[in-house]
Structures are given as C-alpha cells and as structure tokens.
Amino acid sequence: MSTMPVHNERFALVVLISVLGWIGGCGGGGGGDSAPATGLQVDAGTARTLSLPDTLTPNPSVLVDGMPPSNQVSYAWSQLGGPATVGFSDPSAASPEIGFPANGSYRLMLEVSDQGLSESDLLRVTVNTRAAGPSGLTALPINQDQCVAPADAGTATGIQLSTPYPSLPSLGPLVGLFQVPGDNSLWYALRQTGQVIRFDNDPGVSNTQTFIDISDRVDYGGEKGLLGMAFHPDYADNGFVYLSYTASPAGGLESRISRFTLDSATQTLDPGSEQILLTVSQPYSNHNGGHIAFGPDGLLYIGLGDGGSGGDPLGHGQNTATLLGSLLRIDVGDGLGGYTIPADNPFVSGGGAAEIYAYGLRNPWRWSFDRQVGDLWLGDVGQNAYEEVDIISRGGNYGWNLMEGNQCYPASANCDSTGLTLPVAEYDHSQGISITGGYVYRGNALNQLAGRYLFSDYGSGVIWGLVDDGSGGYRAEELLDSDLNIVSFAEDQSGELYVLHLGGSIHKLTAVTSGSGAVPTLLSAWGCFQPGDVERFSDNVIPYNINALLWSDFADKERFMALPDGGTISIDAEGRFVFPPGSVLGKHFRLDGELIETRLLMRHANSGWRGYSYEWNDTLTDAVLLDSAKDKAFANQTWHYPSSAECLLCHTGIAGVALGPELGQLNRDFPYPAQSANQLITYEAIGLLADPLSDTQKSTVFYAIDDTAYAAERRARSYLHSNCAMCHQPGGTGGGDLDMRMSASLAATGLCNQAPLTGDLGLNNPVLLKPGDPDNSILVLRMETMGETRMPPLGSGEVDTQAVAVIREWISGLLSCDAED
C-alpha cells in the first residue's frame, strides 16, 4: 500500500526497443514516404501512494505503432477528480512535477496527440500525511498492577501448555507431528506445503532436517496439501512411509495415498520412490479429510471428507458407492505391493465400496486409536451449527448429511435417526467452529486426565476433556482456553500429548507449576477504570482510536490499551502491534449513547490471550462478567454478548490476536487531554514502542469507510481488512484461499471471478466478486443477507448499509480483476 517516501517520486514502464527498430522508426519525425501511423498507446502509470509533502513526477510510456513517438508529440495533463486542486509544474510536459495540497484520492488524465492520433490514460494517486508533530502525552502511564492481566486465566484444571522446544524454528504450516513406533528420539513434522521435517526430541534442539519434500506434486492451499503420514508397522525393517496429500494432475483435484521408501544412504525418504496406492477424485477444494494411521490390527485407516462445498450437495455422506464421506480400511501387507481388502470390511461382499469401514462423515479432521483399549475416536467437522466427537465402529453410519451432530440437517428437516450412530459429544458454534480430534490421555504426568479423550477447536483454541457421566455417556469439561489455532494433536511414546498451532509452533500439555490470579467478576474491581466512575478509563491506560472500524451493529466504541510497567510493544512485519504478557485491551460498547457491554482482551503470561465480556447493569453503575454467550433485546435489535471462545474466533492467532492496534489503523490523531496529536508519534515519544518508527511505518494508513476524500476502493479494502482478514488470509480459519488483507492486490485476494466454496445465493455461475456487477457478487450478497450465509458469521445481526454501499461502489467501478480501483 505504501512505499518508502522520497521527495520526488518517479515510476516508468520500461520499454525495450531493438536498435534496428529504432532506426527504422526514425526519419525526421515520421516524414518521407512511410505509411501513416495507425496505433497510439498511452500508459500514464500504475496507481501510486505517496505522503505529503512529497511530490510526484510521472514518466509515462507512449508508443506509436510500437515505436517511440515523433518529435511533434504533444502532452496535456489535467485533473479529473480529487479533494483539492493539484499543481502541475507544466501540464504540457510529459513528466511534470505534481504537487498535492491535501490528503485524498486523485484522478489525473494524460492526453497525448501524435501524427494525427490521440489517446488518453488515467493515473490514480492516493495521498496521505506522514505521521508527524508533537506528542499527545508527556510520559507512559504508571501501571504497576492496576490494569495488568493475571498470569493465569483462572482455570482450575491444573494443566497448562508449555513450550517443549523453545529454540526450534517455526514449522508452519504445521498439520501433523509423528514418531516412529517404538522410537522416542526423533519427531517428524508434517508441513501442509509438502514437506516432512525431522528434528531431535531434545528440549535444546534448534536444527531441523528435511525428511522428504514433495511440494512439486502437492496442491496446497486452503484445506488442500500434505495432510497425513503413517509409518509402516515394520518401518524399522522395510523403511516404508505412507503420505496422504492432494494433487491436481491435468487440473483435476484428487486425494492420494502413496508409499515412499527410505534411502538408507541419506536416511531420508526418496521422492522418486513413490508408489500411488489409492486416488480419489475431489469435486471441490475443501473437506479433504486426509488423516491416515495404522490401527492396532495392522491395517491402514484413511479418513476422507464428503467432497466439499457446503451441505454435501452431491450426497456423498450417505452414498456407500463412493469413498468420500467415509473412513476407509485397507491392508497393505508387507508394503511391497498395492493393497487388499480386509475380509471383515462391512461391504466386502457388496452393498458399497469394499474399502469403506464406516461412513456418514462430513470432514473427519484428526482421529486416533486409544492405545490402551483400541477404540477409534474421531472429530467430525460440522456445517454451520454443531461439531461432534464419534467413537467409530465397523459399518457405522454417522449420519451426515441427514444430521449435524445430534440435530437434524437442515434444522428445519424431519429426520429419522434409526440405524444411525449418534455422536458421543457435541458442541455448538458459540464455543468454536471447527473441531480438531485428539487422543485419549494415557500418559503418566497428568493423572487427572487419565482415560479422558481430549479434543480442541481450530477456531477458538479451547481444549476439552470428555468425562464419563456415569450414565453411559460423556460430558465435556473445559481444560484450557488457548489463543492457538490448534490444527492437530500429537502423542509421544510415553502417551504424553502435544498440540500443534498451524502457524508452526508445538506445545505440550503439562502440570501447572507457577502463576496465579483470577479475573474479577465486577468491572469496578479492575484498575483500568476510574474509582467510582467505571464509565471512564483510569490514568493507568492509554486510550486510542482506529481508522477502519470493525462493524458492531451500530454500536459506538471507546478503546484503551494497558501495558505492565516496563513493557513495550514491538511491531511485526505486517505492521501489527505485538503486546507483552500482562497487557490488557479494552472496549466500551454504547448503543444510542448507553453503555451495554465492556470487553477485555488479556494476554495472560501462562495461558495466552483470552477475551472477557462484561454486561452493564440497568443503573449503569457497574458491569458483571459473563460466563457464557448471551443475547439481549435492546431497543429494535438484539445485542450478542460473546463467550470467551467466541472472542478468539475473531481474535485469531494468524491475525495477531489483538486486532485494531496496527500501523495503518493507529496512524491518526487522537484528542488527548493536553492536545490532539498523532497516536504513532505519541507512542514513539513516550517510549511505548520497542524500536523507532521508520518513514515507511509512519506513512502506512488505512481509510475510514466514511472518509469521502478517498476513493471507494481504498475505503472498501480497509473495511475488508478490518472486518474479514482476521479469518480470511493464508492460514486463517475462514477456509478457501482468500486473502482480505489490505496488503494483497485485488488479484491476490482470491475474490475476483472466483466461485464460492459454499452456497450460490440463487445466482447462476456465482462468483465472489464480479467486476462491474455488485448484484452478482457473493461478497456483497453475504453482507446484505442474514442467516447462515451471513458474513461476518458471528457477532453481528445487523447489516452495515454504509459499508455495503461503498463496496458496491467499488465493485461497480472495477473493469477487470487486474484493476485496483
């Protein structure tokens, strides 16, 4: 979006012309007997962003029949639009110096005439003000313990997540972690991009080795990629390893199960040794399943989703003639050949595909065998309402797409559960959005977890354990609320459990050894607010505001940040603020001027980020901490108070958790008590930032949806960044291959002329964004629609009509997917 500022910025389209062509095109400006010119091409330059007081000197490209223009060429620059009148040093020059008097979006036109031909081109320029000026504060607020997050989130389960390999480099996108049976000395990490990385099982490990790289054949993106790995039971003797991945030979997506062989000389897998055992065509890019494992019976189990899209449109879940939507079981024997069908598979004699072991699954995402009793526990990802845990038995039908969890699907249907195996546990989407199956704990370090099945949610990061309810069923107990996107669990040879963060980190479940604290039930108990006047922030915090607001159903918000004494903020490569442990971020929400909710987001030293929602009482004298989600009628709308788990569905790890505090959002003035001043300059002046700001950082700006000085494109893209990118970016929880970040080009967003993964909303040949046609753009329709197709899918029950209008204006003005505005 922004560039390193200079005081005279030039840009050009470089044209390479052969010497002979140049000579042939000369001749006194096109005189003599040469044929008249027939084509004039004018390129005024690509859209640019600069910061005042910089000026711009364009260097346009002009070609006549592919050759340079004659010496009679004429240029005329003019202004078509902008918040103020620009100044041209010489509007008849090809490259005048252009000055801009104010911030905003400008449209400049270049008209060129030569040899009887005329052509024009538009140059778009965005002008910002580089952060500068005095500080709004004279010093950092004192915050010894007044507004500091306690070390723990108040859980009483006695377990925590530790970092077993603190010096290990990031392994993202990390989707699996395995050991050779009987060998505890090494780990093998599965990267979704197509690599298996090996490292020592040593707390001090800092180096890794590539065990195999098949990225040349893996189709990676969204839910696709290298998804599963299993060592042959006789790996120590035969060196066989099985990998599960998606590929697109000849453009058609398929799931593959392949065997690879260890190279004894290098002790790595040979990519050229691949033997493909099984391929399954995938009609859509999501719901690929992909986990594989050898069972206690020595047979290979394979999990496959229903083929994707949404709602199982092709009916694979209940169709035993297809392998999709099923758990398969095959016999690879000694590994030297292909596979055979186990004699006791349920459809070995007919009635379905012989490989099927169980069916009626939507997207089995991580499953495991209880190492003590052999039961197969599986997490099956739900549609829009429920996630489920199943215990898989041979021939079982687990209900999809007749049921979602224990509920009929769709909810309005009348379904018959006769003959179906219902889940042993489920949870709704107030607690998460995508289950990650785990393991039955059989380790020795955490006796309180013995025999419990542990699982998590990729979106919320909550970890639960199932407890026998004494009546033949199970109840889920929350064990931890993490700020991780938990994509998988791992089990070592001792039965101890680990969780994997898609971003590349490994965490181990261990006993709590230190730290304490509790989150106050009443808001007034926090030192973040004035004693006796909880509506007002205390002097221990720093109030702030942002440019591109997160839509909150017409609510107005007041924000603050608080760091413990001695803490500073670092800024990552994407411009996001990284807060130290103990930090607290807070927001008041007001509807029609009346306080209804205050949310606190805290970074606990031992348990990471967690969100808390406080409901204000009717007298507006205090607010009470809620222990679960809640809806409340207010005037003509319903206000939703999120659960702690729901907070982390938006405050995702991949987006930096905090949301809002980043360079482009905070580069604006704030009315401090002494004077109005730029927030970034203030933070730098009082020592809040760990490092000085660069000119590039000071020039990074996002744009308010109602700031009409800027083009609809700038405002729309800022809005999508603020409201959508927390889920829709590479590695995000939103699914698909979308990237809504402000830094992505339009083509890189994955929106333009791309078919949606789910739902057509009544359109023929639907696409997410259709240039020039907002009425046939799914992006717009989902913003305008309520119900299960609504975007954003949670935390909002009202349409942001202002934002919809701006995004419609932006899409209407697009000519192609290459256009930026």
Side-chain angles (χ1 to χ4, degrees), residues 179-203:
Q179 290 185 326
V180 175
D183 183 358
N184 201 44
S185 65
L186 295 168
W187 281 109
Y188 297 81
L190 200 68
R191 299 187 69 232
Q192 193 178 353
T193 44
Q195 301 85 20
V196 178
I197 305 299
R198 180 175 59 199
F199 62 91
D200 294 335
N201 184 13
D202 182 333

Side-chain angles (χ1 to χ4, degrees), residues 279 284 333 366 615 630 677 722 774 810:
T279 62
Y284 301 97
R366 298 322 190 214
E615 179 188 7
K630 177 179 180 178
S722 182
W810 166 48

Side-chain angles (χ1 to χ4, degrees), residues 3 41 64 180 327 333 392 422 430 569 632 657 745 762 808 812:
T3 60
Q41 294 176 311
V64 180
V180 175
L327 188 75
I392 301 297
L422 299 181
S430 69
I569 293 170
K632 181 178 181 179
V657 182
S745 67
R808 280 183 164 276
S812 295

Side-chain angles (χ1 to χ4, degrees), residues 620-640:
L620 301 182
T621 56
D622 211 338
V624 178
L625 178 65
L626 298 176
D627 58 9
S628 62
K630 177 179 180 178
D631 289 332
K632 181 178 181 179
F634 187 91
N636 296 318
Q637 68 183 82
T638 299
W639 183 259
H640 182 72

Side-chain angles (χ1 to χ4, degrees), residues 140-161:
L140 274 169
I142 295 172
N143 188 28
Q144 294 177 331
D145 55 12
Q146 292 87 345
C147 188
V148 176
D152 291 300
T155 56
T157 57
I159 64 172
Q160 64 182 357
L161 293 178

Side-chain angles (χ1 to χ4, degrees), residues 628-786:
S628 62
K630 177 179 180 178
D631 289 332
K632 181 178 181 179
F634 187 91
N636 296 318
Q637 68 183 82
T638 299
W639 183 259
H640 182 72
Y641 298 85
S643 65
S644 183
E646 283 180 312
C647 288
L648 293 183
L649 295 180
C650 287
H651 289 272
T652 60
I654 199 70
V657 182
L659 303 184
E662 57 183 307
L663 290 171
Q665 292 281 41
L666 294 169
N667 194 355
R668 58 169 292 160
D669 284 356
F670 185 86
Y672 296 102
Q675 61 182 335
S676 182
N678 182 274
Q679 295 180 135
L680 296 182
I681 295 299
T682 298
Y683 302 159
E684 183 179 46
I686 62 176
L688 184 66
L689 306 181
D691 299 294
L693 293 167
S694 68
D695 280 349
T696 298
Q697 291 173 322
K698 293 178 182 178
S699 301
T700 301
V701 181
F702 294 166
Y703 309 94
I705 197 71
D706 60 351
D707 190 348
T708 56
Y710 289 96
E713 182 269 345
R714 294 285 81 192
R715 293 179 281 146
R717 290 298 308 276
S718 297
Y719 183 90
L720 294 177
H721 178 101
S722 182
N723 287 269
C724 308
M726 71 282 285
C727 296
H728 294 292
Q729 61 174 284
T733 58
D737 298 326
L738 300 182
D739 188 354
M740 301 272 203
R741 292 175 297 176
M742 187 71 167
S743 57
S745 67
L746 175 59
T749 63
L751 288 169
C752 201
N753 285 332
Q754 295 295 313
L757 283 180
T758 61
D760 59 18
L761 298 185
L763 301 180
N764 293 321
N765 300 316
V767 295
L768 297 174
L769 187 155
K770 187 173 184 179
D773 192 354
D775 288 333
N776 286 294
S777 296
I778 290 288
L779 172 67
V780 174
L781 301 187
R782 285 186 175 165
M783 291 179 64
E784 295 176 333
T785 304
M786 304 309 296

Side-chain angles (χ1 to χ4, degrees), residues 297-327:
D297 52 10
L299 302 176
L300 183 61
Y301 291 72
I302 301 163
L304 291 173
D306 64 8
S309 187
D312 193 11
L314 301 180
H316 291 142
Q318 293 298 309
N319 180 6
T320 57
T322 175
L323 299 182
L324 295 171
S326 302
L327 188 75

